[in-house]
Amino acid sequence: MKREIIQTLDGSTTIRLPDWDECYHSKHGAIQEAEHVFIKNGLALFPDSKVSILEIGFGTGLNAFITFLESIKRNQTINYVGVEAYPVAADEVLAMNYVAELDAAQHAAIFEVLHTSNWEEKNTLANHFEITKRKQFFEEIDDIELFDLIYFDAFGYRVQPDLWSTAIFEKMYKALKKEGVLVTYAARGVVKRSMIEVGFTVEKLAGPPGKREMFRAFKK
């Protein structure tokens, strides 16, 4: 499938799949979307020092990198697991301008290690931050009560509705600890119904720039 690097409206880059007319991040701002959905409405709910995060759709590593930067600001210890069935190619990673746009030149090596570190192994990026990348299809996830927070960042329902099924959200529910949280940029009624069916309590929040709404779901 054809792939191209484009610049989003906040200046940060993303990958676009022209055949699907789908992007890895919002065309209105990749960094703005990540910070709004996953940090402001996700990580910020966990002020305690230790947080375990599962990311569904590791992609370009943007969410992981921003979370690393936030962990420094918040003095948080984070165990991060990123799941991705189709890892981004090295030349595409090099084209991402996140280090510059986030004014994080001192952590440029961390962004590189996010992509060059071995898959299926726990990698220590700093004393307070460990990451494991799993090359895995979402339907293969079988974690039980391991995570405080899930970043659900799969391709959109329009192009891959199977990734937003009741079966997938049941796996997400099981993967979360009690009172765990799932956040996603999505706000479709069919997605909400699937979440509720497996036991989540779902709330609708203001979305990131260019998107009116998003969902946050809580495990009872």
Side-chain angles (χ1 to χ4, degrees):
M1 185 179 293
K2 183 179 178 183
R3 300 159 68 88
E4 60 187 23
I5 308 297
I6 66 167
Q7 187 176 68
T8 66
L9 292 182
D10 68 0
S12 57
T13 52
T14 191
I15 298 171
R16 180 173 179 266
L17 308 176
D19 293 344
W20 284 358
D21 188 25
E22 180 77 353
C23 294
Y24 275 58
H25 311 94
S26 171
K27 291 184 287 186
H28 296 278
I31 287 175
Q32 287 181 351
E33 178 187 48
E35 290 180 335
H36 179 89
V37 175
F38 303 113
I39 305 302
K40 178 182 176 181
N41 289 300
L43 186 62
L45 297 184
F46 295 89
D48 294 338
S49 60
K50 293 185 178 181
V51 184
S52 186
I53 300 172
L54 172 65
E55 180 182 13
I56 303 301
F58 181 76
T60 64
L62 174 59
N63 296 333
F65 188 53
I66 289 179
T67 301
F68 173 80
L69 298 178
E70 286 294 320
S71 72
I72 297 172
K73 297 176 188 176
R74 300 165 185 266
N75 193 30
Q76 282 185 309
T77 298
I78 292 180
N79 175 43
Y80 198 101
V81 175
V83 176
E84 177 63 56
Y86 301 100
V88 172
D91 60 329
E92 292 174 317
V93 172
L94 294 174
M96 297 296 110
N97 66 355
Y98 304 142
V99 171
E101 290 297 312
L102 289 164
D103 193 23
Q106 68 271 38
H107 300 298
I110 295 295
F111 182 70
E112 183 175 345
V113 170
L114 282 173
H115 293 280
T116 59
S117 56
N118 291 333
W119 290 76
E120 319 304 335
E121 294 181 10
K122 182 171 284 189
N123 298 277
T124 301
L125 302 190
N127 289 337
H128 69 286
F129 197 101
E130 294 182 324
I131 184 168
T132 304
K133 298 181 300 178
R134 300 192 328 216
K135 190 175 181 181
Q136 185 179 36
F137 292 107
F138 301 160
E139 58 265 27
E140 297 171 343
I141 294 171
D142 59 1
D143 304 290
I144 303 295
E145 296 186 355
L146 291 183
F147 301 100
D148 302 294
L149 175 62
I150 293 176
Y151 295 169
F152 200 89
D153 201 16
F155 283 131
Y157 182 90
R158 178 181 61 84
V159 297
Q160 287 196 307
D162 54 309
L163 301 184
W164 302 83
S165 67
T166 300
I168 294 295
F169 284 117
E170 185 174 14
K171 289 180 176 291
M172 300 300 100
Y173 192 87
K174 289 179 178 178
L176 283 171
K177 300 175 185 177
K178 186 178 180 181
E179 299 182 354
V181 178
L182 180 151
V183 283
T184 182
Y185 63 87
R188 282 179 175 257
V190 64
V191 171
K192 182 179 182 179
R193 289 190 291 273
S194 290
M195 289 178 172
I196 291 173
E197 185 176 341
V198 303
F200 280 114
T201 299
V202 183
E203 64 177 343
K204 190 177 290 184
L205 304 171
K211 188 170 178 61
R212 192 167 53 131
E213 298 165 335
M214 59 165 280
F215 286 148
R216 181 165 62 194
F218 298 87
K219 181 172 182 176
K220 299 175 182 177

